[in-house]
Amino acid sequence: MAASSISEESVNRYGLSQVHTPTGEGLVDVVFVHGLNGHPYHTWTSEKSKIFWPARLLPPIVEEEKARILVYGYDADVTSFTDGVSKDKIHNHAENLVAALSANRKAVKRPIIFVAHSLGGLVVKRALIHSSEIRGNKTQHLRSIFVSTYGILFLGTPHKGSDLADWGSRLESICSAILPRKLIDNQPQLVDALKAHNETLQNIDRQFIQLVSRFHIYFFHEGRPTNLKGTLRYIVNEESASPNIQDVERASIQQDHSHMCKFEDGSAPGFDLVTEAIQRYASQALGTIVSRWNADEAEQQRKREAEAEELLASNLRRSDITASSSSTSLGPSTGPSKTLKPLFLVPFGQDKSFIDRVEIFIDIDKRMKQHPRVALSGIGGVGKSQIAIEYCYRFRDHHPHAHIFWVHASTKQRFDQAYREIARKLELPGWNDPNSDTLRLVCDWFNEADTGSWLVVLDNADDLDMFFVNPTSTNADSDCTLPLTDYLPQSSSGPMLITTKDESLGRRLAGSHASIVVNPMSPQEAQELLENWQTKSPGSLNPDHSRQLLEALEYIPLAITQAAAFINENYITPVTYLEMFRTSDSNVQDLLDQDLGDLRRDSRGHKSVTKTWKMSFDLISRRQPRAAEMLSLMAFLDRQGISESLLRDKSDRIVDITKALGTLQAFSLIKAGSDRTGYELHRLVQLATRKRLEMQGKTGLWQEKALLVVANNFPTARAV
């Protein structure tokens, strides 16, 4: 269709419309998807010049790439993004998008590039999730959308919320900017419905994280705020629209949320960035997608052969059973299907830039051969969960028929939730009965002899009382009164990998010979991690400056990625960050408290060093108040060579002192000095402890106590 003939009337309100046809055979498809209250023509049309840029401005740029250009329209009323009265919910939009593209694309292996505005990006995400999950032979044409997608340009799409409240506020902002003011004032229930649906939207985000490394992605965020009733506000802020994740592109478009997708001419803000990315993706896509199809077809063939072998073996077993007990009625099955496909319930994608910590993986494999459980312990942010995630993917590669389960164990509620999800996925009898004991159902399944092989990861098992003391349940879905250790697998059918900040708890759960302490990275590993997170060329890093920065960060992975994210986010150099870090302790405390987000980490967890360690401080304060007091005192003493006598109070018993110091060492917050005559703690731990005391208003109290301790132990010492 000629660009000059494109008008609103020639664009279908619903479904796909091809708005540009290249000369000859099309080699790549560029698909535009609008967002909430959008339109397949108006969303992409300049209000000033009336130019519909996908048909007028883009075709000459992608002429050599022979791109077909399509726009997709759907019912984008606010209710269509809720579970309310609309029949076209967000997953219906996604399924319809996949079906429409499949029907339109006769060349199923032609690469696809999506351009999505605002919540249209969530429709694209859900469509790719849906397409990726298709496995049936009769629906392979629907799976082709996932295999053929090369790149995605997200314009003002919200990608992350640390919790459901964040999603709710972001969705409300989008409503305020996109919907007519009269509609919001007269029908506030529609906005409330969208906010109430934020958990589904958050789940889409979590599922897409597992696929993100497969695509070339460009995040665009609005560079100008929107005027909302006289108040200037960013509808989707930079942190959400352009999350700082590995190996993606990010840029700002100097327009507000509604106008960042409307280009009036070739000089409009952001036009060169968006069209350059489309052209570049279109020119690079063909070779990659051909290779991807070859790999996918080989994998599908391998699976078909494996299923055929399994079916043959099953038939042989059935024949043996029939021959040996032909007169015996086996009765109806009460357990899960024995042909259940392997489950992979790991809520994180594989980090393609993972820094291989070879010795730790060797140690895990060695101990797994001797013990059913292995524990990884270490200070918060040292990389335990990242190691566990990578281990899951390696385990799947070596054991393709094994189930792999991930159990969040930071709270009793999350433990319950993980077990309920396992029961649902396994279709255990009674899993959906509110009166059934789901914990016992899953535990019994683990301990059955014929469940096949599996791996369980127990992540963030930090609370001793939750596992070894009867917990006080606040969850109405579970009336469990037993300690959670009673519900952990005891079978030898599969191993359990445990991550914990508390080394002593790890030893109790796994055994003293199956506990591995994860220390900070080596200088070489830390340097590689820093280079991977730098958006600039790794060669631009001065080796001496990098070494000094990594030393200051004490080679702790979370501190390094947090520093790199801050450097990238604020367009500064590592030297500038290092100077800020060295200027004052308060600067260090503020930098350690920056939560810039990391899609590789648990969305409900903390992503800054300070907040991660606060969880350890809170656990210690509740379980061992004397240990918390000692740590508070040490925060204002010289951090090296701290004598036990400085920490001892007149009322302390030797057992109390020993347990308190043991707790602090178990959480890797302090360690015995090299001469074994005193204790020392990380500088970052010391500063994070001071920050916590400052937030509690107790800085002056512990400064005074530290001064009295020094004065009493060194009466002749002079103030410096």
Side-chain angles (χ1 to χ4, degrees):
M1 183 179 293
S4 59
S5 65
I6 294 296
S7 63
E8 179 182 352
E9 290 72 23
S10 59
V11 173
N12 298 325
R13 177 64 185 88
Y14 302 118
L16 281 171
S17 299
Q18 186 167 328
V19 298
H20 173 70
T21 303
T23 303
E25 182 183 1
L27 299 181
V28 62
D29 287 345
V30 181
V31 183
F32 289 78
V33 182
H34 64 77
L36 178 67
N37 211 43
H39 187 280
Y41 183 84
H42 296 304
T43 291
W44 314 103
T45 300
S46 168
E47 296 170 357
K48 183 177 180 180
S49 66
K50 307 302 180 185
I51 286 180
F52 177 54
W53 72 270
R56 291 279 299 280
L57 303 180
L58 182 59
I61 296 173
V62 293
E63 181 178 4
E64 292 186 8
E65 287 71 29
K66 296 187 178 298
R68 296 196 318 156
I69 301 175
L70 305 98
V71 293
Y72 180 69
Y74 58 99
D75 176 13
D77 183 270
V78 61
T79 56
S80 70
F81 280 85
T82 74
D83 281 334
V85 298
S86 172
K87 295 180 180 179
D88 285 328
K89 305 183 184 77
I90 190 169
H91 64 272
N92 296 129
H93 295 321
E95 290 175 346
N96 291 340
L97 173 58
V98 170
L101 279 171
S102 299
N104 178 276
R105 288 161 44 84
K106 305 306 178 186
V108 296
K109 298 182 181 180
R110 184 190 297 128
I112 301 171
I113 298 166
F114 284 105
V115 182
H117 177 240
S118 193
L119 294 185
L122 299 180
V123 175
V124 171
K125 286 183 179 183
R126 186 65 185 88
L128 291 172
I129 293 167
H130 166 64
S131 179
S132 72
E133 293 174 342
I134 292 172
R135 292 292 185 270
N137 293 330
K138 297 179 180 178
T139 52
Q140 280 301 299
H141 61 291
L142 300 177
R143 178 175 167 79
S144 70
I145 305 305
F146 167 70
V147 180
S148 294
T149 296
Y150 178 82
I152 313 167
L153 285 73
F154 292 106
L155 281 64
T157 295
H159 292 288
K160 76 180 197 68
S162 59
D163 53 38
L164 297 183
D166 280 355
W167 271 106
S169 63
R170 288 186 179 122
L171 296 173
E172 184 174 20
S173 294
I174 293 173
C175 288
S176 300
I178 301 298
L179 300 178
R181 188 176 302 172
K182 185 176 180 180
L183 175 64
I184 296 176
D185 293 339
N186 294 340
Q187 299 190 54
Q189 71 274 14
L190 295 183
V191 178
D192 292 340
L194 181 57
K195 291 171 64 179
H197 194 52
N198 52 25
E199 184 167 8
T200 296
L201 303 183
Q202 188 186 50
N203 288 337
I204 291 173
D205 189 55
R206 289 176 182 166
Q207 289 177 279
F208 188 73
I209 290 171
Q210 301 184 41
L211 308 178
V212 72
S213 62
R214 182 182 182 90
F215 309 117
H216 286 69
I217 290 178
Y218 209 137
F219 293 141
F220 292 93
H221 55 273
E222 58 211 65
R224 292 183 179 179
T226 298
N227 190 332
L228 298 176
K229 299 181 180 179
T231 301
L232 294 178
R233 181 176 179 184
Y234 288 98
I235 303 305
V236 182
N237 61 27
E238 180 180 350
E239 179 185 6
S240 179
S242 298
N244 196 352
I245 63 176
Q246 185 69 26
D247 211 22
V248 302
E249 298 176 90
R250 306 164 68 249
S252 170
I253 295 177
Q254 293 303 308
Q255 289 286 6
D256 64 22
H257 186 77
S258 296
H259 295 90
M260 66 187 301
C261 55
K262 307 175 191 292
F263 301 128
E264 61 185 49
D265 55 39
S267 63
F271 177 79
D272 55 342
L273 292 173
V274 172
T275 55
E276 184 278 332
I278 294 174
Q279 187 276 330
R280 175 160 44 89
Y281 289 176
S283 66
Q284 298 172 349
L286 190 58
T288 299
I289 297 304
V290 168
S291 298
R292 189 178 294 170
W293 269 103
N294 291 338
D296 191 78
E297 288 173 345
E299 175 66 12
Q300 295 303 316
Q301 178 62 28
R302 186 192 65 79
K303 288 182 178 180
R304 285 192 291 269
E305 292 174 353
E307 289 172 357
E309 291 178 1
E310 185 175 333
L311 180 62
L312 177 60
S314 176
N315 288 337
L316 291 174
R317 287 195 299 270
R318 189 178 295 111
S319 298
D320 291 341
I321 293 172
T322 303
S324 61
S325 52
S326 56
S327 61
T328 302
S329 174
L330 297 179
S333 173
T334 59
S337 170
K338 303 307 179 190
T339 60
L340 185 70
K341 291 184 178 180
L343 297 175
F344 188 75
L345 303 186
V346 178
F348 309 98
Q350 187 172 21
D351 184 359
K352 302 302 182 183
S353 301
F354 178 79
I355 307 302
D356 194 0
R357 305 177 75 172
V358 178
E359 293 183 0
I360 294 177
F361 282 93
I362 292 174
D363 205 0
I364 293 174
D365 288 335
K366 177 182 177 182
R367 299 186 194 228
M368 283 284 190
K369 294 176 181 178
Q370 302 171 345
H371 307 280
R373 300 177 185 174
V374 172
L376 301 177
S377 64
I379 193 169
V382 82
K384 303 179 296 296
S385 294
Q386 296 303 314
I387 292 170
I389 293 169
E390 177 65 19
Y391 189 84
C392 288
Y393 282 90
R394 296 186 184 186
F395 190 91
R396 182 176 67 172
D397 290 342
H398 288 91
H399 305 85
H401 299 296
H403 299 298
I404 301 178
F405 305 105
W406 189 279
V407 177
H408 287 287
S410 55
T411 66
K412 172 65 165 51
Q413 289 72 26
R414 297 201 73 182
F415 187 96
D416 285 348
Q417 182 182 355
Y419 266 46
R420 284 198 299 271
E421 180 64 8
I422 292 172
R424 184 181 73 84
K425 288 290 188 179
L426 290 172
E427 299 178 356
L428 299 182
W431 70 267
N432 56 351
D433 181 353
N435 297 318
S436 65
D437 186 347
T438 308
L439 296 181
R440 178 53 59 194
L441 280 176
V442 174
C443 181
D444 289 346
W445 182 88
F446 278 132
N447 294 329
E448 288 177 1
D450 60 347
T451 56
S453 59
W454 42 258
L455 165 70
V456 175
V457 173
L458 192 68
D459 188 38
N460 284 322
D462 304 323
D463 191 343
L464 178 72
D465 294 341
M466 197 170 84
F467 287 94
F468 289 98
V469 177
N470 287 352
T472 302
S473 176
T474 58
N475 186 342
D477 295 331
S478 174
D479 54 1
C480 161
T481 58
L482 297 173
L484 291 185
T485 45
D486 284 22
Y487 297 101
L488 298 181
Q490 305 292 332
S491 169
S492 59
S493 296
M496 172 181 282
L497 183 61
I498 302 163
T499 73
T500 177
K501 299 180 183 72
D502 183 354
E503 183 184 356
S504 63
L505 176 55
R507 291 179 182 274
R508 292 186 65 172
L509 288 172
S512 58
H513 297 294
S515 179
I516 301 170
V517 176
V518 180
N519 292 310
M521 286 181 156
S522 68
Q524 294 78 15
E525 292 169 339
Q527 177 66 33
E528 188 177 350
L529 179 63
L530 179 63
E531 290 179 354
N532 281 351
W533 271 74
Q534 282 290 289
T535 55
K536 296 180 180 180
S537 167
S540 65
L541 291 173
N542 181 292
D544 187 52
H545 294 156
S546 297
R547 178 184 57 78
Q548 294 177 49
L549 177 59
L550 295 171
E551 286 178 356
L553 297 172
E554 299 182 349
Y555 306 105
I556 296 174
L558 179 58
I560 296 169
T561 56
Q562 186 179 337
F566 187 89
I567 290 168
N568 295 335
E569 183 96 356
N570 295 283
Y571 303 96
I572 62 175
T573 65
V575 177
T576 303
Y577 186 92
L578 187 58
E579 289 173 350
M580 295 170 62
F581 206 84
R582 287 174 168 172
T583 301
S584 67
D585 287 349
S586 62
N587 271 356
V588 177
Q589 293 167 344
D590 290 341
L591 289 170
L592 294 178
D593 201 35
Q594 297 296 310
D595 191 342
L596 298 179
D598 184 349
L599 293 181
R600 303 169 308 150
R601 294 175 65 85
D602 179 17
S603 61
R604 297 195 210 175
H606 297 299
K607 303 176 184 68
S608 78
V609 172
T610 299
K611 292 182 176 68
T612 298
W613 290 349
K614 179 183 179 297
M615 297 171 64
S616 298
F617 299 156
D618 291 345
L619 277 171
I620 293 170
S621 297
R622 189 176 73 244
R623 196 170 86 205
Q624 272 281 353
R626 188 69 188 94
E629 292 175 355
M630 287 185 176
L631 185 63
S632 299
L633 180 61
M634 296 171 82
F636 295 100
L637 298 174
D638 187 313
R639 64 184 185 85
Q640 294 180 323
I642 302 174
S643 170
E644 182 180 312
S645 62
L646 293 176
L647 306 174
R648 186 181 298 130
D649 192 85
K650 291 181 179 179
S651 61
D652 283 332
R653 298 177 302 169
I654 187 64
V655 173
D656 296 331
I657 285 284
T658 302
K659 289 176 65 176
L661 290 171
T663 296
L664 294 177
Q665 291 180 85
F667 277 85
S668 301
L669 297 176
I670 69 171
K671 63 179 181 180
S674 56
D675 57 1
R676 296 289 172 179
T677 60
Y679 297 90
E680 59 186 57
L681 71 164
H682 295 284
R683 176 174 180 253
L684 301 188
V685 171
Q686 187 178 53
L687 295 178
T689 306
R690 290 181 186 176
K691 180 72 174 180
R692 177 172 178 268
L693 294 172
E694 177 188 330
M695 295 173 64
Q696 295 175 339
K698 296 181 179 179
T699 299
L701 170 66
W702 286 103
Q703 283 179 330
E704 182 179 344
K705 287 189 176 184
L707 184 61
L708 288 173
V709 164
V710 173
N712 290 334
N713 282 270
F714 305 98
T716 60
R718 293 183 299 170
V720 178

